[in-house]
Amino acid sequence: MKAIDLRSPRLQAQLLLRRAGAPACIAVALCLLGVAGGVWAWQQRAVAAQLEARPLPVASLAVAAAAPAASANDNLARFYATLGPQRHAEQHVKQLFDLAAKHGLVLAQGEYKSSYDKASRVSTYQVMLPLKGGYAAVWRFALQALRAMPFASLDELSFRREQIADTQLEARLRLTFYLTDAPSGSAGETP
């Protein structure tokens, strides 16, 4: 027969809990949670106060002070300057295929749809591309495509995997190119 050590902290804690009963144990646990929540809230306020007290970098203040307010015409001119040239739409698609190959993606034939908005004089060229490759490679491809073509928008990116163990997945990427046929600077002018 084993001797029971009554000085064991574990045994003493069990005896104390049994003597106090369930309601008292719940009350103690709630008090401890309240104290922990108060400490957490106090730390959050201290961090927020430190962030508010931190001065802004001098460079951002200088840029904000030096930048004059842009007029509506200036903003419109910048918008039209950002648009891609419509005559190079096929070259932009070829650039997508080159980027996909660079990232090791298999890119099948895509679907293409173009439209023109008379009011804004902006053409759109929508490209739906089925891709096969790794998850990270697909994301890197999409982000690099947006960097290479600032006039494009990523409208949809969906992933599908046949089995959970597959390392290659199928993705569908839909980009829209915003293009103009006008030379840079003249698209924003009124006729």
Side-chain angles (χ1 to χ4, degrees), residues 100-120:
K102 178 182 172 186
H103 289 285
L105 299 172
V106 177
L107 181 57
Q109 183 67 28
E111 300 171 22
Y112 311 99
K113 178 181 161 186
S114 65
S115 64
Y116 181 74
D117 181 39
K118 290 181 184 180
S120 65

Side-chain angles (χ1 to χ4, degrees), residues 7 22 24 27 80 87 90 93 100 105 120 127 148 150 166-167:
R7 292 177 293 176
Y80 281 108
R87 64 183 177 273
E90 290 80 19
V93 173
L105 299 172
S120 65
V127 181
D166 289 345
T167 57

Side-chain angles (χ1 to χ4, degrees), residues 45-129:
R45 280 193 296 264
V47 168
Q50 285 178 345
L51 290 175
E52 287 176 7
R54 191 178 295 170
L56 289 174
V58 176
S60 66
L61 289 175
V63 169
S71 70
N73 288 336
D74 292 339
N75 288 336
L76 188 61
R78 277 191 291 228
F79 168 75
Y80 281 108
T82 305
L83 299 176
Q86 183 180 5
R87 64 183 177 273
H88 298 304
E90 290 80 19
Q91 291 175 354
H92 301 312
V93 173
K94 182 186 179 316
Q95 188 176 4
L96 286 176
F97 276 81
D98 293 344
L99 283 172
K102 178 182 172 186
H103 289 285
L105 299 172
V106 177
L107 181 57
Q109 183 67 28
E111 300 171 22
Y112 311 99
K113 178 181 161 186
S114 65
S115 64
Y116 181 74
D117 181 39
K118 290 181 184 180
S120 65
R121 296 186 306 269
V122 173
S123 296
T124 59
Y125 195 73
Q126 196 172 75
V127 181
M128 178 67 90
L129 300 173

